[in-house]
Amino acid sequence: MLENKFPGKDITLDDMKEKFPLCVKKNENDFSKFEIAGVEFGGNQIPIMAGPNMVESKELILDVADNIKKIGAHFLRGGAFKPLTFPYRSKKFNETREQGIEWLKIAKNEFKIPIITEVMEEKYIELVSSVADILQIGSRNMQNYPFLTACARSGKPIMLKRHYGASLRDWLGAAEYILYEGNKKVILCERGVSIPHTHRSTSRFAIDLQVVPAAKEITHLPIVVDPSHATFWRPWINSMSLAAVASGADGIMLEVHPDPENSAVDPLQPINYDHFSKLIKKMDVLATSVYNKKIL
Ligand code: PEP
Ligand code: MN
């Protein structure tokens, strides 16, 4: 039966049996469902993760936590440790690291909102885990296998972002490293892929929404879509967020900043509170009317 279903696709039956058996669905309706900080993934809820690219300051992260929670987000996102593409730093464009983790703790306690934040190095897993409800493994670390194993062993839920050059096969292979350690709370995140040419110079990546149904044919793991990093362009966030919900995504990650043009990192992609508030309502209408799921 499986033979008929996957006739010569890029992922073979042998891959499914031998390379990433723990990722593979046992039957048509075998989808993982689990709770993280009281929020259900893989069920009827479509969790929203929102926040700035970077934990720039205490004031910023407290303001964002307060506002996005009121608007309806389920998790606060934001990096204290950042995989910045170039090595140069300035006062504004600077990772806040240990201090940023402290500010996330204050935001979490004051506004009772769970946290997803990136960890980049094994030596910081313990520190980042002291605040994170979900450890984010960034695109650039997707195939850092010893690091994946170390993160998995922390026992924390993990969101594994897809590398922008990785196939679904590579991505599931990486997820398998985490599952192999007995850590079952694994979430995939599509965040855009590189293609030889896009039709706009500001567009670094193309959102691969086709990977959502493709992943769901094979794996039981929930899959989140991040239209902010995928589009890199605010005017496309609404359409692509709605399209992500329509594609069957199990969650949405969005960059939200009170003053997007002045975001320290990637100022072309975040949306402001008003924009976020309108968009989350639209996504909720789509999720409830088409899929009988809810966002708000
Ligand atoms: C992020 O989410 O802040 C981030 C750096 O994402 P990515 O790893 O997908 O580039
Ligand atoms: Mn970013």
Side-chain angles (χ1 to χ4, degrees):
M1 182 210 142
L2 275 175
E3 280 77 359
N4 297 335
K5 217 174 156 213
F6 298 100
K9 289 199 76 165
D10 53 343
I11 292 178
T12 65
L13 285 175
D14 282 347
D15 290 338
M16 292 164 70
K17 285 185 198 140
E18 289 158 22
K19 304 281 201 292
F20 38 79
L22 301 175
C23 284
V24 171
K25 285 160 68 176
K26 292 189 182 57
N27 59 59
E28 199 63 41
N29 297 313
D30 174 29
F31 290 107
S32 281
K33 206 194 271 194
F34 48 77
E35 249 184 47
I36 302 175
V39 182
E40 191 180 64
F41 282 84
N44 289 334
Q45 178 72 53
I46 300 180
I48 306 296
M49 306 161 170
N53 190 303
M54 181 155 74
V55 182
E56 296 172 34
S57 67
K58 184 175 163 190
E59 293 64 38
L60 174 82
I61 206 67
L62 293 184
D63 192 66
V64 175
D66 187 14
N67 280 281
I68 62 152
K69 167 108 197 228
K70 284 182 188 144
I71 292 167
H74 305 89
F75 289 84
L76 174 64
R77 66 141 281 144
F81 293 92
K82 289 291 309 168
L84 298 167
T85 306
F86 305 103
Y88 303 104
R89 301 288 181 267
S90 63
K91 197 163 185 298
K92 186 178 175 195
F93 190 74
N94 205 6
E95 288 171 277
T96 51
R97 301 174 72 86
E98 286 87 347
Q99 207 171 33
I101 297 292
E102 282 310 307
W103 297 333
L104 282 170
K105 279 184 191 164
I106 298 169
K108 176 173 173 159
N109 292 332
E110 198 162 325
F111 299 104
K112 308 282 175 256
I113 185 161
I115 305 286
I116 173 163
T117 191
E118 179 156 356
V119 59
M120 290 180 56
E121 293 172 78
E122 183 169 347
K123 66 183 178 197
Y124 292 117
I125 292 175
E126 207 177 310
L127 175 72
V128 176
S129 295
S130 69
V131 70
D133 294 279
I134 305 175
L135 293 176
Q136 175 171 319
I137 299 181
S139 302
R140 293 156 184 84
N141 261 324
M142 190 201 88
Q143 287 177 306
N144 184 344
Y145 302 120
F147 181 62
L148 298 182
T149 298
C151 287
R153 287 181 181 165
S154 75
K156 280 276 167 181
I158 291 174
M159 188 173 87
L160 180 65
K161 294 191 94 173
R162 179 190 186 184
H163 187 272
Y164 34 87
S167 64
L168 178 57
R169 187 172 184 268
D170 292 341
W171 194 12
L172 294 179
E176 189 83 1
Y177 270 87
I178 303 169
L179 295 172
Y180 182 75
E181 295 303 321
N183 190 330
K184 294 193 163 64
K185 294 192 177 178
V186 180
I187 302 161
L188 302 171
C189 177
E190 156 60 24
R191 49 77 70 219
V193 292
S194 292
I195 52 175
H197 42 76
T198 53
H199 61 287
R200 244 193 126 100
S201 59
T202 55
S203 188
R204 293 165 78 190
F205 304 110
I207 191 165
D208 179 12
L209 291 181
Q210 197 166 299
V211 85
V212 177
K216 284 176 178 293
E217 276 183 352
I218 292 166
T219 183
H220 54 85
L221 297 173
I223 175 164
V224 164
V225 173
D226 170 0
S228 299
H229 285 84
T231 62
F232 192 59
W233 187 234
R234 193 160 30 255
W236 297 348
I237 294 295
N238 271 20
S239 52
M240 292 302 104
S241 300
L242 290 164
V245 173
S247 76
D250 297 296
I252 304 289
M253 173 172 264
L254 281 169
E255 279 194 9
V256 178
H257 192 287
D259 182 9
E261 287 82 15
N262 284 307
S263 170
V265 183
D266 296 342
L268 301 179
Q269 73 195 25
I271 55 175
N272 66 23
Y273 300 142
D274 183 51
H275 188 160
F276 179 53
S277 171
K278 290 183 174 128
L279 176 56
I280 202 170
K281 289 188 186 105
K282 288 184 181 145
M283 290 192 292
D284 187 52
V285 169
L286 179 59
T288 50
S289 60
V290 178
Y291 290 109
N292 211 13
K293 294 191 177 191
K294 68 184 175 94
I295 288 182
L296 290 168

